[in-house]
């Protein structure tokens, strides 16, 4: 199988490069820039992509092994990756007098494989591309053998190439959707310049994953924490496909689930898929430990810790269980600055990333660890899971624990569950559920004055959040119709006693995150 290696220099959008390569049906992995040359040789990539990063190449210790340029495989440098390529091969990088952040237009100067037949505008016989820049430094002198393939007034060397050796570099970010032809550029690098075959498909992956799970597990039993979300559900279906009754799922009702979620999960897995599921009601345990805690990171860590405690107790009842399976996916690992790179800044921790305590005598099984969310959904459908489960909006691992702002109380969760269910119900009724990428209600622990009938009320507030995104790294708030928002507000205020005000969140990501905590 052809593979692309992505070396991460610390950019917060590096995982988008991996997504774009996977979308070309080519397998790739993301590793830290400082992996050894022996590792790169053993990985045996058909091509290498160097990511962006926050540092200045002429004063940073973020330096990869320049001997990778002697391996005879094409290399694409992006932003910092371009600057490191230029400096390593004899070019010059300097601080720019004009910094570029955001939209920019570049002119294609020379024919090349990266930009072949691509254009956003043609004027006076010149071809222009709309791109997204984020840099202060720039290449001011080309390395030997390179030519400029794109430029603009503030960045004369906006892209460069040495096509004899298969080296390409761009100062902008083709991986983000703001670069309109970015996906095509990465496709042309991977498929044309590197000559990769598009063989990364879900049926092929299922066969490989099943064989890998069987080899890894052998005759041991596996215990899986089933949350009801897409990731753990697909992991359960995949592992069940591989080892059948050797898998036991533990479904933990922690008091932080959506309305009627426990019943739905048990119905699908136990009754329809024939998976062994143990239903554990741990509401009091979780609520007890969350009492008085308001910090979001502290809440996440408590919830993660208590999940492990429950698994520990349940695994003790299954003496033949040697493995704990989790629905960890690639963005969890990357966003937590996980085991692969340890270079990007941590945005938020994920309860299923970072290993297990030594007291839990189980090995970790994470069959989805290298997959993105869209690939997980594709896998779920291929495994026969119901469409409505697989394409349900993402639900955070800590559940309502991070949708109740501040201290988590049973009363708050009960109010939020009902408000959230109304919101989702009306989104479906108005045919907006599948048009949004994620939608939910958030409980605000503040009270406002209202009037119902002839009486004064002093009750809680919920915020509605709905976003549209292709990658969950950036997102726009969904422009829901006023009549939809009006109906949701009326229903929540009339049907959920204890809430008298509904607001709508119109923040994008960035600067906000999709979840409130």
């Amino acid at each position: 199988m052809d593979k692309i290696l992505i070396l991460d220099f610390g950019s917060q959008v590096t995982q988008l490069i991996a997504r774009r390569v996977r979308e070309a049906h080519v397998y790739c992995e993301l590793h830290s820039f400082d992996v050894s040359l022996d590792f790169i040789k053993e990985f045996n990539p058909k091509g290498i992509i160097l990511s962006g990063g926050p540092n200045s190449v002429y004063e940073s210790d973020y330096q990869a092994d320049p001997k990778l340029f002697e391996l005879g495989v094409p290399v694409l440098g992006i932003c910092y990756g371009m600057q490191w390529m230029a400096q390593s091969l004899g070019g010059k990088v300097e601080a720019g007098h004009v910094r570029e952040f955001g939209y920019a237009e570049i002119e294609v100067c020379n024919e090349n494989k990266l930009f072949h037949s691509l254009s956003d505008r043609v004027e006076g016989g010149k071809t222009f591309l709309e791109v997204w820049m984020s840099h202060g430094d720039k290449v001011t002198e080309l390395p030997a053998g390179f030519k400029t393939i794109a430029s603009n007034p503030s960045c004369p060397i906006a892209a460069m190439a040495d096509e004899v050796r298969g080296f390409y570099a761009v100062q902008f970010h083709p991986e983000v959707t703001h670069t309109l032809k970015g996906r095509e550029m990465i496709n042309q690098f991977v498929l044309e310049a590197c000559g990769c075959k598009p063989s990364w498909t879900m049926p092929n992956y299922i066969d490989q994953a099943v064989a890998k799970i069987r080899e890894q597990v052998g005759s041991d039993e596996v215990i899986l924490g089933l949350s009801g979300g897409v990731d753990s559900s697909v992991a359960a279906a995949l592992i069940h496909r591989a080892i059948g009754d050797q898998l036991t799922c533990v479904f933990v009702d922690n008091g932080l689930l959506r309305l009627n979620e426990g019943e739905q999960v048990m119905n699908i897995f136990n009754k329809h898929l024939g998976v062994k599921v143990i239903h554990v009601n741990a509401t009091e345990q979780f609520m007890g430990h969350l009492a008085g805690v308001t910090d979001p990171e502290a809440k996440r860590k408590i919830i993660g810790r208590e999940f492990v405690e429950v698994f520990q107790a349940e695994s003790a009842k299954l003496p033949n269980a040697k493995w704990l399976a989790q629905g960890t996916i690639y963005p969890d690992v990357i966003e937590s600055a996980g085991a692969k790179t340890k270079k990007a800044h941590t945005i938020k921790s994920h309860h299923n990333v970072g290993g297990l305590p030594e007291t839990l005598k189980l090995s970790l099984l994470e069959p989805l660890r290298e997959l993105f969310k869209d690939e997980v959904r594709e896998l779920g459908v291929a495994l026969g899971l119901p469409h409505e489960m697989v394409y349900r909006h993402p639900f955070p691992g800590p559940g309502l624990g991070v949708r109740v702002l501040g201290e988590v109380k049973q009363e708050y969760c009960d109010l939020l569950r009902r408000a959230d269910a109304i919101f989702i119900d009306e989104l479906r009724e108005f045919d907006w559920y599948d048009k949004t990428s994620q939608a939910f209600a958030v409980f605000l622990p503040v009270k406002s004055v209202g009037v119902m009938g002839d009486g004064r009320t002093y009750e809680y507030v919920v915020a509605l959040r709905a976003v549209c995104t292709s990658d969950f790294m950036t997102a726009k708030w969904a422009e829901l119709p006023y009549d939809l928002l009006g109906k949701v507000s009326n229903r929540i205020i009339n049907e959920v006693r204890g809430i008298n005000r509904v607001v709508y969140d119109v923040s994008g990501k960035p600067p906000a995150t999709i979840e409130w905590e």
Side-chain angles (χ1 to χ4, degrees), residues 1-175:
M1 179 174 64
D2 294 341
K3 298 181 291 186
I4 295 292
L5 174 64
I6 302 165
L7 296 184
D8 180 20
F9 286 94
S11 169
Q12 291 291 355
V13 294
T14 300
Q15 67 163 289
L16 297 185
I17 304 172
R19 281 183 52 84
R20 300 295 170 249
V21 174
R22 298 274 186 92
E23 287 166 358
H25 298 293
V26 174
Y27 184 74
C28 65
E29 288 186 15
L30 191 158
H31 292 271
S32 178
F33 67 88
D34 54 4
V35 295
S36 68
L37 193 67
D38 286 340
F39 173 87
I40 297 174
K41 289 177 179 177
E42 186 177 343
F43 187 83
N44 192 29
K46 289 275 284 187
I48 298 171
I49 300 178
L50 311 171
S51 86
N55 302 290
S56 292
V57 70
Y58 44 80
E59 59 184 19
S60 171
D61 60 356
Y62 276 40
Q63 307 288 329
D65 190 330
K67 290 183 180 178
L68 67 84
F69 294 113
E70 300 171 13
L71 297 177
V73 300
V75 181
L76 170 63
I78 295 173
C79 197
Y80 182 94
M82 171 178 176
Q83 295 163 14
W84 180 76
M85 177 188 286
Q87 180 171 279
S88 299
L89 295 175
K92 191 172 183 180
V93 179
E94 298 178 297
H97 297 297
V98 178
R99 298 193 303 169
E100 287 186 294
F101 293 96
Y103 169 84
E105 189 175 68
I106 59 172
E107 178 190 345
V108 177
C109 305
N110 285 291
E111 174 61 27
N112 63 90
K113 288 183 179 178
L114 198 64
F115 301 151
H116 178 65
S117 75
L118 301 181
S119 70
D120 292 314
R121 182 171 67 87
V122 176
E123 185 177 306
K126 297 179 179 180
T127 298
F128 296 90
L129 293 166
E130 295 181 24
V131 301
W132 192 72
M133 293 278 195
S134 181
H135 70 101
D137 298 339
K138 61 185 178 183
V139 176
T140 56
E141 189 176 309
L142 291 169
F146 279 77
K147 63 183 179 182
T148 300
I149 57 174
S151 69
N152 70 14
S154 60
C155 189
I157 307 176
M160 64 183 192
D162 176 350
E163 295 207 279
V164 174
R165 290 184 287 178
F167 297 161
Y168 300 85
V170 296
Q171 187 55 71
F172 56 89
H173 287 267
E175 69 270 31

Side-chain angles (χ1 to χ4, degrees), residues 204-400:
N204 289 344
Y205 176 79
I206 291 175
D207 292 341
Q208 295 165 7
V210 164
K212 184 177 179 180
I213 292 167
R214 287 174 179 164
E215 179 183 359
Q216 200 172 353
V217 170
S219 60
D220 296 339
E221 291 189 11
V222 177
I223 182 172
L224 179 143
L226 188 62
S227 71
V230 175
D231 303 334
S232 66
S233 297
V234 173
L238 178 61
I239 296 169
H240 187 255
R241 170 78 65 93
I243 60 173
D245 286 345
Q246 291 170 242
L247 171 68
T248 300
C249 292
V250 176
F251 175 63
V252 180
D253 187 344
N254 57 5
L256 304 171
L257 303 175
R258 289 170 284 199
L259 192 66
N260 300 325
E261 190 155 26
E263 182 182 331
Q264 293 167 3
V265 169
M266 294 300 294
N267 188 52
I268 289 173
F269 280 90
N270 194 286
K271 293 185 179 179
H272 293 294
L273 294 180
V275 179
K276 290 190 292 185
V277 184
I278 298 170
H279 191 171
V280 182
N281 189 338
T283 299
E284 289 187 12
Q285 176 179 338
F286 278 80
M287 289 298 174
H289 286 284
L290 288 168
V293 180
T294 58
D295 179 71
E297 275 294 289
K299 290 195 293 185
R300 285 177 176 271
K301 285 181 168 59
I302 288 169
I303 293 165
R305 183 192 71 208
E306 293 310 308
F307 267 115
V308 173
E309 290 291 328
V310 172
F311 294 144
Q312 201 162 13
E314 293 304 319
S315 66
K317 303 173 188 176
L318 299 166
N320 294 324
K322 307 297 182 187
W323 299 84
L324 174 64
Q326 294 187 150
T328 307
I329 65 173
Y330 213 11
D332 296 341
V333 177
I334 298 168
E335 193 163 58
S336 294
K340 287 289 171 98
T341 70
K342 299 188 184 299
K343 302 298 178 183
H345 296 288
T346 299
I347 302 300
K348 57 189 177 186
S349 59
H350 292 263
H351 75 269
N352 55 349
V353 176
L356 298 167
E358 291 182 7
T359 53
L360 188 57
K361 305 296 184 183
L362 296 172
S363 300
L364 200 55
L365 179 65
E366 297 175 311
L368 310 181
R369 190 178 175 88
E370 303 298 339
L371 298 183
F372 289 102
K373 179 70 77 171
D374 55 331
E375 294 170 330
V376 172
R377 294 188 194 281
E378 189 180 347
L379 174 59
V381 171
L383 289 167
L385 286 173
H387 184 275
E388 61 272 18
M389 167 175 273
V390 172
Y391 283 91
R392 188 162 60 164
H393 289 176
F395 190 57
L400 301 186

Side-chain angles (χ1 to χ4, degrees), residues 416-435:
L416 179 58
R417 255 186 284 275
R418 293 163 61 200
D420 184 77
I422 289 170
F423 186 27
I424 299 304
D425 182 45
E426 292 301 333
L427 283 171
R428 293 189 187 280
E429 185 68 24
F430 278 75
D431 197 27
W432 264 89
Y433 185 81
D434 291 327
K435 295 176 186 175

